[in-house]
Amino acid sequence: MSASMNPLAPHTLPWFVTAPGDTDWLYAVTTLVVVVCVVLLGVFFFWLHSLPERMGHKKLQFEIVAVLGLISLFTHQHIFWIIGLLLAVIEIPDILSPLRRIAAAAERVAGLPPGDAPLLPPPPEAAQQQAEPQPAARPVEHA
């Protein structure tokens, strides 16, 4: 008995249908493309996730933004990433530099060497008490 082909079946197969036992190249290429795309998508995700950290201007600002980025990465709460991005975009004004300049000018006016001024001077009464010892109290005599 010979197997005859159905007259309604096509005589040629499409290019993507492989013969039994042959390698399916379309499947292999598709698998490779999917793996590469998933890796590139992961790289893009982590690149985008580190965007606020790369935008941080100062050390303190950078550290706060980095902590917010880690919190958002581990908790999957996007609000932390958004807060970090907003904090990275906003330039925090430098408040300490003018205050340091004012302190240095005040030290120069007072005639102190720079950086040696105490944080708080002792009150004038305490300085006098340390300089002069108090006489011992005498008992009161009654007549």
Side-chain angles (χ1 to χ4, degrees):
M1 179 189 281
S2 69
S4 62
M5 201 168 171
N6 187 340
L8 296 177
H11 295 291
T12 58
L13 294 174
W15 65 271
F16 54 84
V17 176
T18 58
D22 285 348
T23 302
D24 190 357
W25 289 106
L26 180 63
Y27 176 75
V29 170
T30 304
T31 303
L32 183 66
V33 167
V34 167
V35 167
V36 167
C37 286
V38 167
V39 168
L40 290 178
L41 187 65
V43 167
F44 175 73
F45 173 76
F46 285 120
W47 176 83
L48 183 66
H49 193 77
S50 69
L51 182 66
E53 295 170 19
R54 288 183 276 117
M55 292 174 65
H57 301 288
K58 296 179 181 78
K59 183 175 179 357
L60 178 65
Q61 184 181 14
F62 171 76
E63 289 176 356
I64 293 171
V65 169
V67 167
L68 285 172
L70 281 176
I71 290 172
S72 71
L73 185 64
F74 290 128
T75 62
H76 300 291
Q77 299 292 324
H78 302 297
I79 189 69
F80 293 114
W81 186 83
I82 293 169
I83 292 170
L85 184 63
L86 290 176
L87 185 62
V89 169
I90 296 171
E91 179 97 21
I92 297 176
D94 185 19
I95 298 172
L96 292 179
S97 291
L99 292 177
R100 286 189 183 117
R101 289 178 51 203
I102 291 170
E107 288 174 353
R108 278 194 306 265
V109 168
L112 298 172
D116 285 349
L119 294 179
L120 291 175
E125 299 83 30
Q128 256 183 351
Q129 289 175 358
Q130 290 175 354
E132 299 175 12
Q134 294 289 332
R138 290 184 285 160
V140 178
E141 295 178 16
H142 293 286

